[in-house]
Amino acid sequence: MPEQQSVIIVGGPTASGKTGLAVALAKGHHTSIISADSRQCYKELNIGVARPSKEILAEVPHYFIGSHSIHEAVNANTFESYALNAVAGILKKHDTVIVAGGTGLYIRAFTEGLDEIPQVDKAVETMVRNQYLENGMEWLENELRHNDPLFAEKGEMKNPQRMMRALTVKLSTGQSLFKYHSSAKIPRPFQLQKIYIDIPRTILYERINKRVDEMMNAGLMEEARTLFPLRHINALQTVGYSELFEYFENKISLERAVELIKQNTRHYAKRQETWFRKYFVDEHTMIKSLV
């Protein structure tokens, strides 16, 4: 493979402008975009995951957008295999590929590789999910602190799907999910360039709050209502849907649900910033502000 062939990784927190920059880069290089977003890959989810508009998707070919169902098991290993295959195909016609997204573990799997995680016990997986649905986040947090203090310290402790996955792996294998993260980077047959979008947190939070309002106006509540009967599925244990599910269950008011979506999204963005600055930003990374 020619040396000039490369993959440009565009990373940053939610609402930072990754999509716009990725589209501009893809147009400039006459190439395609692979989404590194763990929710936009689900065809049943649209407004709540900020999927790019039909116009944007028509402008530039996108991969890993609406490519899977919420009924499928999709994880970092899935993305690694999918993205590597997609890159290989795109580089047969183009010299550059754009990978853009905010799911750090997916980007790490693609750039460095991950160890294969053993099959989990389905009975344990079901038990963990049912206990979470019955007892909520407090139960999940306490179980992880007791059973997997390593994940409780370093993992996404506000992301219920990741938390349930971590607890299931620990109870099934006896090992922390972090023990399966490869310590040795796997060389890739292309050059990697990285762009990190850095935005002042106050401006980022304003964008997040505005985006949530726009999502509600665009029909997020109606979208969540159609998914409500499937709320037990792991893919739906995520910000933007779980809060509205609580509203449908008369546990909180609609005003509180919207407030929580904004708050939890801001918390997620802060964790994304921490991850990217730790694993992603180095002397080879271009730091770009879109403000």
Side-chain angles (χ1 to χ4, degrees):
M1 188 171 291
E3 288 186 4
Q4 69 269 24
Q5 290 193 313
S6 63
V7 174
I8 300 175
I9 310 287
V10 179
T14 186
S16 61
K18 295 185 296 295
T19 297
L21 178 57
V23 168
L25 288 169
K27 286 182 176 179
H29 288 279
H30 305 288
T31 190
S32 303
I33 296 171
I34 300 173
S35 167
D37 186 292
S38 63
R39 291 295 176 272
Q40 291 181 358
C41 66
Y42 295 118
K43 58 188 177 183
E44 295 88 351
L45 310 185
N46 185 11
I47 299 171
V49 297
R51 184 193 295 189
S53 67
K54 292 180 179 178
E55 292 76 17
I56 289 176
L57 294 176
E59 286 183 53
V60 175
H62 280 69
Y63 292 75
F64 211 63
I65 298 276
S67 54
H68 295 72
S69 169
I70 57 175
H71 301 284
E72 297 178 66
V74 179
N75 54 40
N77 293 111
T78 307
F79 178 76
E80 179 187 7
S81 176
Y82 179 103
L84 288 173
N85 287 334
V87 165
I90 297 168
L91 288 180
K92 290 179 180 178
K93 299 179 180 179
H94 308 282
D95 290 332
T96 305
V97 180
I98 313 300
V99 174
T103 303
L105 185 59
Y106 280 24
I107 291 176
R108 184 180 179 188
F110 172 72
T111 58
E112 303 179 4
L114 292 177
D115 290 336
E116 190 71 32
I117 298 174
Q119 290 290 323
V120 298
D121 187 325
K122 292 298 181 182
V124 171
E125 187 176 47
T126 300
M127 180 276 292
V128 168
R129 182 178 66 245
N130 290 341
Q131 287 291 324
Y132 165 70
L133 292 174
E134 182 176 345
N135 300 301
M137 283 290 285
E138 184 176 357
W139 174 84
L140 194 52
E141 290 170 355
N142 289 336
E143 287 296 307
L144 278 168
R145 290 193 182 99
H146 175 71
N147 290 286
D148 191 350
L150 180 60
F151 184 90
E153 178 186 357
K154 298 182 178 181
E156 294 186 35
M157 287 294 284
K158 295 297 181 181
N159 184 327
Q161 185 180 16
R162 299 279 169 79
M163 294 165 71
M164 284 189 286
R165 173 66 173 163
L167 182 58
T168 300
V169 168
K170 184 58 164 57
L171 295 178
S172 297
T173 69
Q175 295 290 329
S176 172
L177 184 63
F178 279 96
K179 295 293 186 181
Y180 294 103
H181 290 187
S182 178
S183 57
K185 296 181 181 180
I186 300 175
R188 299 307 191 191
F190 43 75
Q191 294 181 341
L192 283 169
Q193 302 175 40
K194 296 179 285 185
I195 300 175
Y196 171 65
I197 301 178
D198 187 32
I199 290 182
R201 190 167 291 171
T202 53
I203 296 177
L204 181 64
Y205 285 2
E206 289 174 3
R207 288 187 180 184
I208 288 171
N209 293 340
K210 181 180 179 182
R211 174 185 277 187
V212 173
D213 289 335
E214 291 173 346
M215 285 178 170
M216 292 300 297
N217 291 334
L220 176 56
M221 185 162 71
E222 291 73 19
E223 179 175 285
R225 197 179 295 278
T226 64
L227 296 167
F228 182 64
L230 304 172
R231 61 192 179 279
H232 62 282
I233 294 177
N234 282 348
L236 295 177
Q237 310 302 316
T238 190
V239 176
Y241 296 102
S242 56
E243 296 87 355
L244 288 172
F245 293 159
E246 290 193 2
Y247 163 65
F248 299 150
E249 293 171 337
N250 296 315
K251 294 180 179 179
I252 57 176
S253 67
L254 178 58
E255 181 180 14
R256 178 58 177 162
V258 174
E259 179 185 331
L260 283 174
I261 294 173
K262 293 178 179 179
Q263 176 182 304
N264 292 335
T265 304
R266 293 194 301 268
H267 289 167
Y268 177 56
K270 186 177 180 180
R271 293 194 301 275
Q272 286 176 302
E273 288 180 318
T274 300
W275 187 90
F276 278 107
R277 286 171 179 162
K278 181 177 180 181
Y279 291 104
F280 193 75
V281 178
D282 56 30
E283 67 274 14
H284 303 295
T285 303
M286 177 188 295
I287 300 177
K288 187 175 183 67
S289 174
L290 300 184
V291 178

